[in-house]
Amino acid sequence: MRALVIDDSRTMRRIVAGALEDLGFSTVQAGDGQQALDLLESGEEVDLACIDWNMPVMDGLTFVTRVRANPAWRNITLMMVTTESEHGQIVRALAAGAHEYLIKPFTTDAIRDKLDLLGLVPAEEPV
Amino acid sequence: MSLTQDTFAFVADVVRRRSAIQLEAGKEYLVESRLLPLAREGGHAGVDAYVREVRSARRESDLADIVEALTTNETSWFRDNAPFSALRTHIVPGLRAERTVLDGLKVWSAACSTGQEPYSIAMTLTDVLGPGARFSITATDLSEQVLAQARSGRYSQLEVNRGLPAPMMVRWFQRAGHDWQIADELRRSITFAKHNLLDLPPAGPFDVVFLRNVLIYFDLETKRSILGRVHRALRPGGYLVLGAAETTIGVDGDWERVPVERGSVYRPVHAGAVPSPRPAPGTLTGATPAVPTAAPRVPVSGAPTSTWPVQPRPATTLPTAPRRPAGPAFEQGVTR
């Protein structure tokens, strides 16, 4: 599976991408929502996007809205990964079409739990 | 620093006597990591020195602290998913099919730790039973400390990040300073109580018992004895939900294994009774009753008979195998 990691912090992108790669994802990165849209429009195919909220050029919420408006991208799972932690902001993100919401700071276990909920962590065969 | 065998043997004996949990050889790292905070708190250089002091002082409170430290652990919401999916899609529909009225459903969440399991059950039942339906959950643990948090329904940001679906979070939680507070409606449906699994079960009878990731820590005889008590606490036709690496097979023959999706739940078999007059939707009929045979002890870190097709996870309220360490940046809480 392939994931798009969108964050204007290179460190954060590296951390999120590293956690996803540990779980078997290949990753591609973008520094803001517009760069991420450009990647998708150029034909980049991803199963999951992890999206920061506050970014220059295009914020994460606008990116979510734009992705949801395009039926060609309906299969992309969208997860906000952000410091924004107010109840109302989570409601807004879900209403815009985000499937999950992970608040920074988080542990690697938390990212795995969220992907589990989304059915994106391959189940291991019983031993 | 590693523990002396003498220290480990003493701690293992205290824990076994007071909780029946077996700390096998190889769990020295666990004893050390759990007791080190207590040792430091008491100004000791390490766990060996702390335990020497405990042994000479013979204070009851020290022994209680040790048992608490070794039997408490972090947990997550909807842990492993499959049991909650089974509750939603098989157990409740199964009970509904067998009873004219499904009101006042009673659930026991045993070894509930800081409450994520019983609250996850409450969220699931509220959804699946519909508005106005009555149910009650008895949630028990050996540790007063975890029960206090569970009762408060207050969780840190890191705790709500663990496995709680965002729609559930906005529905059932409100911000409370830096923490999150669970809704009173859910808290009212749960009674939290201290309980040792070696004692008589809490007042039932129960329709469903969640006893997950607990049996793996006990020897065969203790497992059998606990399962016997749970059997008596369940209503005929009730359901037992075990953890991913647990089964009644080879331990206690008085259970019918019911395959559910890619896992299993268990129903008590009563002498002379037909266990499933009307099977739950989607369950297989004629499931082979468990045959009691001697089985090797299930190792804590292994999953020889996984009943849920998921990655075996550490126990909810009990000692666990080490997990892949989180990156230092995560541990420090990366923000931007």
Side-chain angles (χ1 to χ4, degrees):
Chain A
M1 278 191 281
R2 191 155 175 81
L4 170 57
V5 179
I6 314 165
D7 200 303
D8 58 333
S9 155
R10 187 190 299 170
T11 306
M12 209 50 229
R13 288 201 303 271
R14 187 167 50 78
I15 290 166
V16 175
L20 292 170
E21 284 161 12
D22 283 350
L23 293 169
F25 283 83
S26 66
T27 60
V28 57
Q29 301 182 14
D32 63 63
Q34 186 58 56
Q35 275 184 24
L37 276 183
D38 292 346
L39 274 171
L40 294 179
E41 277 163 0
S42 71
E44 182 71 51
E45 290 186 6
V46 299
D47 305 285
L48 166 73
C50 292
I51 312 144
D52 185 23
W53 189 308
N54 289 308
M55 294 180 287
V57 187
M58 182 188 289
D59 67 29
L61 193 65
T62 308
F63 172 80
V64 167
T65 309
R66 295 282 294 274
V67 170
R68 281 290 156 257
N70 185 337
W73 297 331
R74 67 178 175 276
N75 291 331
I76 301 176
T77 299
L78 303 175
M79 178 161 76
M80 301 300 292
V81 182
T82 171
T83 52
E84 300 302 324
S85 62
E86 289 309 310
H87 189 271
Q89 287 168 308
I90 305 172
V91 172
R92 277 179 69 198
L94 295 180
H99 298 91
E100 261 305 333
Y101 201 103
L102 182 62
I103 300 171
K104 299 173 187 170
F106 55 86
T107 63
T108 46
D109 284 336
I111 206 164
R112 188 198 161 88
D113 287 346
K114 289 287 186 184
L115 295 176
D116 228 351
L117 286 174
L118 295 166
L120 291 176
V121 176
E124 296 193 359
E125 291 300 316
V127 177
Chain B
M1 187 189 295
S2 58
L3 293 181
T4 65
Q5 273 310 304
D6 194 38
T7 296
F8 179 72
F10 172 78
V11 172
D13 185 57
V14 168
V15 172
R16 183 182 55 77
R17 283 170 186 275
R18 293 179 172 233
S19 71
I21 290 167
Q22 300 276 348
L23 292 170
E24 295 172 315
K27 293 289 165 196
E28 289 84 354
Y29 72 94
L30 185 73
V31 171
E32 176 139 41
S33 63
R34 295 293 175 80
L35 297 189
L36 199 55
L38 292 176
R40 295 213 167 117
E41 211 170 87
H44 299 284
V47 173
D48 281 322
Y50 165 67
V51 170
R52 269 198 302 276
E53 156 74 14
V54 167
R55 294 176 78 167
S56 63
R58 296 172 170 267
R59 279 188 297 267
E60 172 59 28
S61 60
D62 289 337
L63 300 180
D65 286 348
I66 288 175
V67 174
E68 178 126 350
L70 267 300
T71 57
T72 305
N73 198 13
E74 68 165 314
T75 181
S76 60
W77 307 89
F78 295 93
R79 184 168 167 220
D80 295 341
N81 293 334
F84 303 95
S85 170
L87 182 63
R88 181 186 297 274
T89 62
H90 291 267
I91 295 176
V92 168
L95 290 170
R96 233 181 214 143
E98 290 172 8
R99 295 179 191 174
T100 33
V101 180
L102 187 59
D103 192 29
L105 193 75
K106 277 179 76 97
V107 180
W108 176 19
S109 165
C112 71
S113 187
T114 41
Q116 282 88 338
E117 178 176 277
Y119 284 122
S120 299
I121 294 169
M123 291 181 218
T124 304
L125 288 179
T126 303
D127 268 355
V128 73
L129 292 174
R134 292 184 311 148
F135 63 87
S136 65
I137 299 167
T138 301
T140 62
D141 201 279
L142 191 60
S143 161
E144 280 291 4
Q145 191 184 326
V146 295
L147 287 170
Q149 180 182 353
R151 278 190 198 100
S152 75
R154 195 171 172 122
Y155 295 93
S156 72
Q157 183 64 68
L158 287 173
E159 286 168 326
V160 294
N161 261 349
R162 294 295 312 276
L164 183 63
M168 292 287 196
M169 185 171 168
V170 295
R171 179 173 174 191
W172 293 113
F173 288 80
Q174 287 294 332
R175 283 310 295 252
H178 293 300
D179 295 335
W180 291 82
Q181 178 64 49
I182 206 159
D184 282 346
E185 180 187 341
L186 291 184
R187 290 173 66 202
R188 279 195 296 269
S189 65
I190 305 172
T191 303
F192 291 97
K194 184 172 180 175
H195 176 255
N196 187 331
L197 286 168
L198 300 182
D199 297 335
L200 287 174
F206 297 99
D207 299 289
V208 188
V209 175
F210 278 66
L211 180 70
R212 301 171 59 217
N213 308 304
V214 179
L215 291 179
I216 49 174
Y217 295 99
F218 297 109
D219 62 26
L220 184 61
E221 207 43 54
T222 310
K223 283 182 195 176
R224 195 171 281 147
S225 151
I226 291 171
L227 283 173
R229 280 189 277 269
V230 170
H231 193 284
R232 289 189 290 278
L234 267 173
R235 257 189 241 277
Y239 289 83
L240 168 65
V241 181
L242 296 175
E246 297 167 324
T247 179
T248 61
I249 297 171
V251 180
D252 183 350
D254 291 339
W255 300 89
E256 175 198 22
R257 186 171 73 86
V258 182
V260 174
E261 295 170 7
R262 292 159 64 202
S264 301
V265 293
Y266 299 85
R267 307 190 82 179
V269 175
H270 294 271
V274 179
S276 303
R278 273 194 285 172
T283 58
L284 301 182
T285 53
T288 311
V291 179
T293 55
R297 173 97 197 282
V298 179
V300 167
S301 57
T305 50
S306 183
T307 53
W308 297 105
V310 292
Q311 167 85 355
R313 299 284 186 83
T316 302
T317 59
L318 294 162
T320 67
R323 304 190 64 172
R324 183 166 51 85
F330 287 93
E331 291 297 315
Q332 289 157 20
V334 174
T335 57
R336 56 166 293 274

